[in-house]
Amino acid sequence: MNETMVCVVGNVATRPVYRETASGPAARFRVAVTSRYWDREKSAWADGHTNFFTVWANRQLATNTAASLSVGEPVIVQGRLKVRTETREGQQGWMSADIDAVAIGHDLARGTTAFRRVPRPEQNAATDRPEPNWETSADTSPPDREVEGQPMPAAVVMT
């Protein structure tokens, strides 16, 4: 419902860790996002603060993430932001910013990639439907306005 959706552009900071869980495949990795700004004194671009996010992927996204990403690659991650705080007895409290990923991809502004579609599992033959023929016939003459003695409407308006 009221979730904070974010889109971050950064670099893969850790190797994706893939796990098979009871609820299905899961993967996680860290992404580093560094802001850049124009330094007027040096007349050059400079790096600002770096934020690190733990990215969580589930199901097919987890499988594809583990097979596709390596440390240092530029990525774009979209998902739900989750900020967690925890205090443990005798230790200093800590805060974590996690992203429950909806989409992950390489940043094509900084390089190229080769996409490969994952094959779907075989479907039941009973549910397969034949592909419709979308091609037009070679006859380009206008269709007859009469079929079996009944006129066809020139246009159908649906409201």
Side-chain angles (χ1 to χ4, degrees):
M1 298 246 184
N2 294 327
E3 298 172 326
T4 305
M5 296 297 288
V6 295
C7 182
V8 297
V9 178
N11 293 315
V12 177
T14 62
R15 182 181 57 80
V17 176
Y18 178 83
R19 299 274 189 267
E20 286 286 343
T21 65
S23 61
R28 70 167 163 44
F29 67 96
R30 305 265 292 159
V31 63
V33 180
T34 303
S35 63
R36 303 227 348 128
Y37 65 94
W38 181 255
D39 188 340
R40 291 184 195 169
E41 294 174 4
K42 298 178 183 176
S43 294
W45 287 98
D47 286 341
H49 179 75
T50 301
N51 291 306
F52 289 90
F53 299 94
T54 301
V55 179
W56 295 89
N58 296 302
R59 295 176 291 285
Q60 190 63 47
L61 182 58
T63 304
N64 296 343
T65 294
S68 301
L69 299 183
S70 300
V71 174
E73 293 181 341
V75 291
I76 300 173
V77 177
Q78 181 181 8
R80 291 176 282 288
L81 179 65
K82 311 265 183 178
V83 178
R84 298 182 302 137
T85 58
E86 187 173 323
T87 56
R88 294 182 182 162
E89 205 170 308
Q91 296 180 355
Q92 184 177 355
W94 58 270
M95 184 178 290
S96 172
D98 298 351
I99 299 173
D100 185 13
V102 173
I104 301 170
H106 285 110
D107 183 358
L108 298 180
R110 298 191 277 162
T112 62
T113 190
F115 181 80
R116 288 182 310 277
R117 187 172 299 278
V118 176
R120 287 185 177 182
E122 291 297 320
Q123 293 181 346
N124 185 355
T127 61
D128 285 344
R129 294 186 208 159
E131 185 69 26
N133 183 7
W134 295 104
E135 298 198 17
T136 57
S137 64
D139 180 20
T140 58
S141 62
D144 295 330
R145 291 284 178 213
E146 198 171 295
V147 176
E148 295 182 33
Q150 295 186 359
M152 292 180 57
V156 177
V157 178
M158 303 201 48
T159 58

